[in-house]
């Protein structure tokens, strides 16, 4: 008896080759879309941390005289207050701006605010501050407002580096400060709207002589609200004794000196989910939006309440020990102590910034 075996014909090279191409492109896409994650994972191998700051101890307690506090820092008390200019580039952080200005209004001489009609990524936007100016009438006599003419990006145009557009706005701030009447020897705060110096930090600028010509402000960093404290890694805010010849408005490292525990940095601390989406698409790190679902409201809401990173990114750390210890969600805090006084006084209005208030409006 003869057994006949059926032999399967090997697949044609014409079928195999396209399949391999599709597989290769799929793998390449996965690698490219996660390149940022891979880069952050191996950061300890390819990057080095910046030189450490020289920390200035920060002395403060209630009911201690400003003269004594100045002396504890090695400074001398002034007979008259120095003028202080608070200068910020503004996008859409209306709640944090009110919180900031209410907290600092007694100590600041001029609030200098610059906004643009486009985002850093070229998306047209309203002049949020200008159209809500009545909300800030309590500080009207101190406000110097400027508008930077942005550049709209049209469909089909190549992307312009958002950091270049951001840098141009910071250069424009130098001119706005001069229009505001700043003089040599005045103090100027350079920070983003969500980097809020504490009132007693600003009082040092007012009442102490001998402070450094420039120093950064170490701020406690929070994400989404004051319910999610991260660490004390925020350092970009700085203060300067102004000189027309040398002072340039910047948001980068300018000195090795940093004043410890000098305020709060509340990142992505918005009332509405639409504001989250607006910032994610419009700020200088918009390339972190790697997938469309990152902008879905339900996803953003879940990430806020669970303390997850909106962009599913790994922490920016320079050692594997730090990286591993910081992977995972931000731990909630039930503490609302040592926060801005105006926030606690108006807790009902700003419930979304306090423990238990993670649910956002659309």
């Amino acid at each position: 008896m003869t057994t006949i075996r059926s032999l399967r014909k090997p697949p044609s090279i014409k079928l195999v080759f396209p399949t391999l191409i599709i597989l290769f492109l799929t793998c390449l896409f996965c690698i490219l879309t996660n390149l940022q994650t891979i880069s952050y994972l191996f950061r300890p191998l390819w990057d080095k941390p910046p030189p450490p700051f020289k920390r200035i101890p920060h002395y403060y307690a209630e009911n201690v005289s400003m003269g004594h506090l100045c002396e504890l820092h090695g400074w001398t008390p002034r007979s008259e207050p120095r003028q202080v200019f608070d200068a910020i580039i503004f996008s859409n952080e209306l709640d944090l701006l009110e919180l900031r200005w209410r907290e600092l209004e007694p100590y600041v001489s001029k609030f200098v605010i610059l906004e643009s009609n486009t985002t850093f990524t070229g998306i047209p936007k309203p002049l949020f501050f200008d159209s809500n100016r009545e909300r800030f009438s309590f500080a009207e006599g101190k406000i110097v407002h400027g508008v930077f003419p942005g550049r709209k990006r049209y469909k089909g145009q190549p992307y312009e580096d958002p950091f270049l557009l951001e840098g141009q706005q910071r250069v424009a701030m130098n001119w706005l400060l001069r229009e505001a009447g700043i003089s040599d020897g005045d103090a100027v705060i350079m920070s983003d709207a969500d980097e809020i110096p504490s009132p007693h930090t600003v009082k040092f600028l007012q009442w102490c002589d001998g402070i450094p010509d420039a120093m950064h402000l170490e701020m406690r960093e929070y994400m989404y609200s004051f319910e999610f404290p991260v660490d004390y890694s925020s350092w970009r805010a700085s203060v300067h004794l102004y000189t027309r010849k040398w002072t340039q408005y910047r948001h980068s490292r300018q000195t090795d000196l940093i004043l410890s525990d000098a305020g709060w940095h509340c990142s992505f601390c918005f009332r509405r989910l639409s504001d989250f989406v607006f910032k994610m698409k419009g700020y200088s790190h918009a390339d972190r939006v790697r997938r469309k679902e990152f902008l879905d409201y339900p996803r953003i809401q879940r990430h806020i309440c669970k303390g997850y990173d909106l962009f599913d990114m790994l922490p920016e750390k320079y050692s594997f020990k730090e990286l591993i210890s910081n992977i995972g969600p931000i731990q909630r805090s039930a503490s609302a102590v040592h926060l801005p006084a105006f926030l606690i006084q108006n807790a009902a209005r700003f419930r979304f910034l306090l423990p238990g208030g993670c649910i956002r409006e659309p």
Side-chain angles (χ1 to χ4, degrees):
M1 185 176 181
T2 305
T3 303
I4 301 174
R5 296 180 181 176
S6 62
L7 299 176
R8 181 175 294 177
K9 187 178 180 180
S12 167
I13 189 67
K14 291 182 179 180
L15 296 175
V16 173
F17 186 70
T19 304
L20 290 174
I21 291 294
I22 292 171
L23 183 61
F24 171 76
L25 291 176
T26 302
C27 292
L28 183 61
F29 174 78
C30 291
I31 291 171
L32 291 176
T33 54
N34 291 281
L35 192 58
Q36 206 166 42
T37 301
I38 295 170
S39 174
Y40 277 43
L41 178 62
F42 292 104
R43 187 174 200 142
L45 298 179
W46 61 263
D47 201 4
K48 293 181 179 179
F53 282 104
K54 297 176 182 177
R55 299 186 176 277
I56 301 173
H58 190 160
Y59 299 95
Y60 177 76
E62 297 290 340
N63 303 317
V64 178
S65 72
M66 183 53 60
H68 184 57
L69 291 172
C70 289
E71 291 168 356
L72 283 173
H73 290 83
W75 306 329
T76 56
R78 293 170 58 92
S79 57
E80 294 182 355
R82 177 187 286 110
Q83 285 209 107
V84 178
F85 289 69
D86 181 37
I88 60 169
I89 306 293
F90 183 74
S91 178
N92 66 326
E93 309 93 338
L94 288 166
D95 286 305
L96 286 184
L97 183 66
E98 182 181 0
L99 183 62
R100 179 193 187 102
W101 283 7
R102 290 279 191 180
E103 200 76 2
L104 302 184
E105 193 274 333
Y107 318 106
V108 167
S109 310
K110 290 287 178 70
F111 290 112
V112 187
I113 179 169
L114 180 67
E115 63 177 334
S116 176
N117 58 356
T118 69
T119 67
F120 295 148
T121 54
I123 301 171
K125 77 173 190 67
L127 299 176
F128 286 105
F129 173 78
D130 197 46
S131 58
N132 290 274
R133 190 158 181 159
E134 72 283 351
R135 180 174 177 178
F136 304 92
S137 58
F138 64 90
E140 184 57 46
K142 295 183 176 183
I143 298 171
V144 178
H145 174 242
V147 176
F148 181 86
R151 289 199 295 279
K152 180 180 176 181
R153 179 183 174 271
Y154 293 94
K155 190 175 181 179
Q157 282 185 329
Y159 279 98
E160 191 165 0
D161 186 350
F163 289 101
L164 290 177
L165 298 178
E166 180 179 348
Q168 289 167 4
Q169 290 192 37
R170 298 193 187 281
V171 170
M173 177 60 85
N174 293 309
W175 297 99
L176 193 58
L177 278 167
R178 292 172 188 171
E179 284 188 25
I182 196 168
S183 301
D184 285 4
D186 293 339
V188 57
I189 302 167
M190 303 181 187
S191 71
D192 285 348
D194 58 4
E195 298 167 335
I196 305 173
S198 61
H200 51 84
T201 296
V202 181
K203 287 171 72 175
F204 287 141
L205 306 181
Q206 272 191 307
W207 289 105
C208 299
D209 269 335
I211 63 175
D213 293 338
M215 61 180 173
H216 286 279
L217 302 179
E218 178 191 65
M219 295 187 172
R220 185 160 198 188
E221 183 140 19
Y222 298 82
M223 188 64 68
Y224 312 138
S225 74
F226 294 101
E227 183 174 19
F228 292 99
V230 181
D231 53 27
Y232 283 90
S233 62
S234 181
W235 57 267
R236 289 185 177 274
S238 61
V239 295
H240 304 255
L241 296 183
Y242 183 83
T243 60
R244 186 180 179 92
K245 184 177 181 181
W246 298 112
T247 304
Q248 295 293 317
Y249 189 91
R250 291 165 55 192
H251 197 235
S252 54
R253 185 157 176 168
Q254 305 188 57
T255 175
D256 290 337
L257 298 176
I258 189 167
L259 179 65
S260 299
D261 200 3
W264 310 272
H265 181 188
C266 201
S267 187
F268 280 93
C269 291
F270 294 113
R271 182 185 298 271
R272 298 177 182 85
L273 296 172
S274 57
D275 292 329
F276 281 83
V277 171
F278 180 86
K279 177 169 180 174
M280 292 168 76
K281 293 166 66 176
Y283 82 142
S284 296
H285 295 288
D287 61 323
R288 293 176 177 175
V289 183
R290 303 190 304 276
R291 295 189 292 276
K292 286 184 178 180
E293 58 265 30
F294 281 15
L295 304 177
D296 291 345
Y297 283 11
R299 180 188 181 276
I300 294 172
Q301 182 62 81
R302 286 194 303 271
H303 277 54
I304 293 169
C305 286
K306 292 181 179 294
Y308 292 151
D309 186 272
L310 287 175
F311 306 100
D312 291 343
M313 291 175 57
L314 292 173
E316 298 183 51
K317 300 299 179 183
Y318 295 94
S319 74
F320 288 114
K321 181 180 179 181
E322 284 183 300
L323 180 64
I324 293 169
S325 64
N326 284 275
I327 288 176
I330 305 166
Q331 298 302 305
R332 290 173 181 267
S333 170
S335 173
V337 181
H338 304 304
L339 297 180
F342 183 76
L343 172 61
I344 303 304
Q345 292 162 357
N346 296 271
R349 277 187 62 203
F350 296 99
R351 192 74 189 89
F352 71 99
L353 290 176
L354 293 167
C358 72
I359 300 298
R360 296 299 198 266
E361 301 173 19

